[in-house]
Amino acid sequence: MNEYIASVSERLGKLYPNEPEYLQSVRAWLEMIEPAVDKPVYERLDVLSRMVEPERMFSFLVPWQDDEGKTHTNHGYRVQFSSTIGPYKGGLRFHPSVTASVVKFLGFEQTYKNALTGLPIGGAAGGSDFDPRGRSAREVMRFCQSFMFNLYRYIGADTDVPAGDIGVGVREIGYLYGAYKRVTGRAESGALTGKGLTYGGSKIRQDAAGFGTVYFLARMLEHQGESIEGKKIAVSGFGNMSLGVCRKAAELGGKVVTLSGPDGYVFDPEGVATQEKFDFVRDMRASGLDKVAAYAEKFGVEYHAGKKPWEVPVDIAIPCATENEIQTEDAVLLLANGVRYYVEAANMPATAEALKLLRLSPKILTAGAKAAGSGGVAVSALEMVQNSLRYSWSRQEVDEKLRGIMSSIYDASAAAAEEYGLGYDLIAGNDIAAFKKISEAMIAQGL
Ligand code: GLU
């Protein structure tokens, strides 16, 4: 490994020994961009150290009262990772697993995910260790209000624009936006994205991450002279991202045959492909129980308790759940079952070892979340554009723009891999293209 890269990696390890997710995501990236760190200017201006750590981050207490009148105290975080190419931009995650390390890794990934959307957005992430499971709507509202009373002074349409992630959907964004508006006294719709359609949200936003992944996948299939028609797809999770993949795949003639939750997975050989099934999955998610078993009962299909969907032989695997859900043994299963495409929708869904196995195998084509998973934030950026225009595009207009954005991310990734002699390595190509764009902007702006 190039000495400069090795020293940056070692320094981070010493500074943050207890932040495994963050170190994992930065180190994977450093490995990918190595061929492009080929000029002395990067070390002279210490570009890498400035790219791998957040510009600013903070945490705050979020006290709130439950329906019985008992007070709970959670932790809130916001990592303003990079403003090099635009205002900080990224989601909020409400989940008990949220730590400083998790938000830092999300903010890091977000920066490089956002860079190739073609829209001027920097990178950020945030959230809380609050567990929304089993909480009433009123409890969630009170939590969101307390969270925003702390966060509001640090965000805004031109500074930092939060959106959703795990545990934060259109309902939570509504409560957060309502609190923001009340405390600032401004109807500043561009301060948050993922809003409801009646108050400045963009059409397609909820399905955008999943749609984007399928558009990206379509370009990979096309490269192989294939199409999505008739393909079987394994998907994990059952939230917006999974549902977006189901809908767009069904529209293009593909079939999503699995969905999963923390309880296990369901196998539907007919595909999650009808409006009735989409509605059922949406309601199952909204119930707040975080279980997928009810789908099997309702539609009379197999349910595998405690198992992951990667054991089902399919053509394409699309992880849509959470980080490190694909371990070495899952990667081995995917390869043994002859899966030919592995396309990440969720952030860092595979462990370093599992991803290496998949990426280096000639039997499977791989695409990373920073490329294939960027449809959600791309439509968030389109939401910001519509808010600043005080205008709203039609579904077809947004969908068409999203398809164009995903296609140009694919082209940029394939071209960068080609330029550095890496063949068809879309993961390295994407990381390199984003690195080059951000480093150029950083150097141009001086210290
Ligand atoms: N968490 C989402 C993502 O990974 C949302 C980011 C946004 O829309 O700002 O892209």
Side-chain angles (χ1 to χ4, degrees):
M1 191 186 264
N2 152 337
E3 257 172 57
Y4 175 44
I5 295 183
S7 74
V8 171
S9 171
E10 197 187 312
R11 182 164 155 267
L12 272 198
K14 283 195 184 130
L15 283 168
Y16 307 107
N18 303 318
E19 302 192 358
E21 295 86 359
Y22 168 56
L23 292 179
Q24 180 187 336
S25 90
V26 171
R27 284 179 169 154
W29 179 82
L30 286 170
E31 214 178 303
M32 290 302 131
I33 63 158
E34 178 163 13
V37 187
D38 53 1
K39 293 190 201 78
V41 67
Y42 295 123
E43 185 167 0
R44 192 158 47 81
L45 298 179
D46 203 13
V47 166
L48 292 184
S49 301
R50 294 156 62 198
M51 288 175 94
V52 300
E53 283 202 72
E55 289 173 12
R56 180 182 308 114
M57 71 176 289
F58 44 89
S59 64
F60 45 91
L61 285 183
V62 191
W64 60 280
Q65 205 171 39
D66 69 21
D67 288 342
E68 270 70 58
K70 183 173 171 346
T71 297
H72 301 259
T73 308
N74 285 99
H75 302 92
Y77 302 90
R78 187 71 180 164
V79 175
Q80 298 183 328
F81 215 101
S82 170
S83 60
T84 302
I85 64 174
Y88 303 112
K89 178 86 197 86
L92 297 172
R93 176 179 291 190
F94 292 169
H95 192 271
S97 65
V98 167
T99 59
S101 171
V102 167
V103 281
K104 274 168 80 178
F105 119 71
L106 288 171
F108 178 74
E109 299 262 314
Q110 196 75 51
T111 303
Y112 296 90
K113 192 188 243 191
N114 294 4
L116 296 186
T117 59
L119 292 146
I121 41 176
S128 172
D129 54 3
F130 170 69
D131 187 356
R133 224 174 331 167
R135 290 292 169 198
S136 72
R138 275 170 301 154
E139 289 174 323
V140 170
M141 181 177 76
R142 284 195 294 273
F143 176 81
C144 288
Q145 289 171 339
S146 180
F147 187 89
M148 188 50 87
F149 292 155
N150 268 296
L151 188 63
Y152 82 93
R153 63 183 83 238
Y154 307 107
I155 65 168
D158 293 317
T159 48
D160 181 358
V161 184
D165 197 85
I166 294 170
V168 179
V170 66
R171 178 184 69 172
E172 290 72 22
I173 293 292
Y175 295 147
L176 289 163
Y177 179 66
Y180 181 81
K181 196 168 51 123
R182 207 162 341 142
V183 76
T184 60
R186 288 198 310 271
E188 184 193 343
S189 50
L192 284 154
T193 62
K195 299 181 295 293
L197 293 180
T198 51
Y199 58 94
S202 175
K203 301 192 180 71
I204 310 272
R205 177 62 190 87
Q206 287 200 56
D207 281 323
F211 280 19
T213 306
V214 175
Y215 286 138
F216 195 93
L217 163 70
R219 290 296 310 273
M220 295 169 74
L221 287 158
E222 189 187 302
H223 175 266
Q224 297 298 100
E226 296 190 87
S227 89
I228 199 165
E229 185 83 42
K231 296 277 186 306
K232 282 202 291 178
I233 307 171
V235 158
S236 58
F238 68 104
N240 283 338
M241 198 179 261
S242 316
L243 207 43
V245 171
C246 292
R247 282 189 218 274
K248 190 51 82 179
E251 194 185 310
L252 302 177
K255 224 195 255 183
V256 172
V257 295
T258 67
L259 291 173
S260 73
D263 57 325
Y265 79 90
V266 293
F267 172 59
D268 182 349
E270 295 301 311
V272 187
T274 61
Q275 192 59 44
E276 190 194 4
K277 290 176 178 176
F278 300 151
D279 291 345
F280 187 83
V281 174
R282 187 202 52 207
D283 294 345
M284 194 166 66
R285 165 55 66 201
S287 78
L289 295 172
D290 208 13
K291 284 191 175 130
V292 83
Y295 181 97
E297 239 165 82
K298 165 82 182 169
F299 297 105
V301 300
E302 286 172 29
Y303 167 64
H304 299 266
K307 292 272 181 69
K308 297 188 204 171
W310 316 123
E311 60 186 28
V312 178
V314 289
D315 304 296
I316 301 160
I318 307 185
C320 296
T322 195
E323 62 269 12
N324 294 330
E325 55 166 307
I326 297 187
Q327 314 266 321
T328 306
E329 59 269 26
D330 302 311
V332 168
L333 262 181
L334 290 171
L335 291 170
N337 282 336
V339 176
R340 290 182 302 122
Y341 297 85
Y342 167 78
V343 184
E344 296 180 344
N347 292 305
M348 202 169 74
T351 61
E353 198 185 58
L355 184 61
K356 202 162 277 175
L357 269 179
L358 296 169
R359 194 173 68 88
L360 300 181
S361 163
K363 294 200 244 152
I364 191 165
L365 296 186
T366 52
K370 293 195 214 84
S374 51
V377 75
V379 172
S380 272
L382 295 177
E383 184 172 332
M384 290 161 70
V385 176
Q386 295 170 82
N387 292 154
S388 66
L389 295 172
R390 301 213 180 282
Y391 188 71
S392 162
W393 291 319
S394 69
R395 248 189 105 76
Q396 288 88 324
E397 281 172 303
V398 177
D399 202 14
E400 206 34 54
K401 285 183 170 60
L402 171 62
R403 197 166 64 87
I405 290 170
M406 297 314 295
S407 217
S408 66
I409 296 171
Y410 172 90
D411 287 332
S413 306
E418 193 69 42
E419 188 188 335
Y420 286 87
L422 302 169
Y424 192 68
D425 187 342
L426 295 173
I427 300 185
N430 177 265
D431 281 346
I432 288 175
F435 162 71
K436 291 187 77 168
K437 179 168 179 181
I438 298 180
S439 61
E440 192 182 316
M442 185 177 255
I443 292 168
Q445 290 172 45
L447 287 175

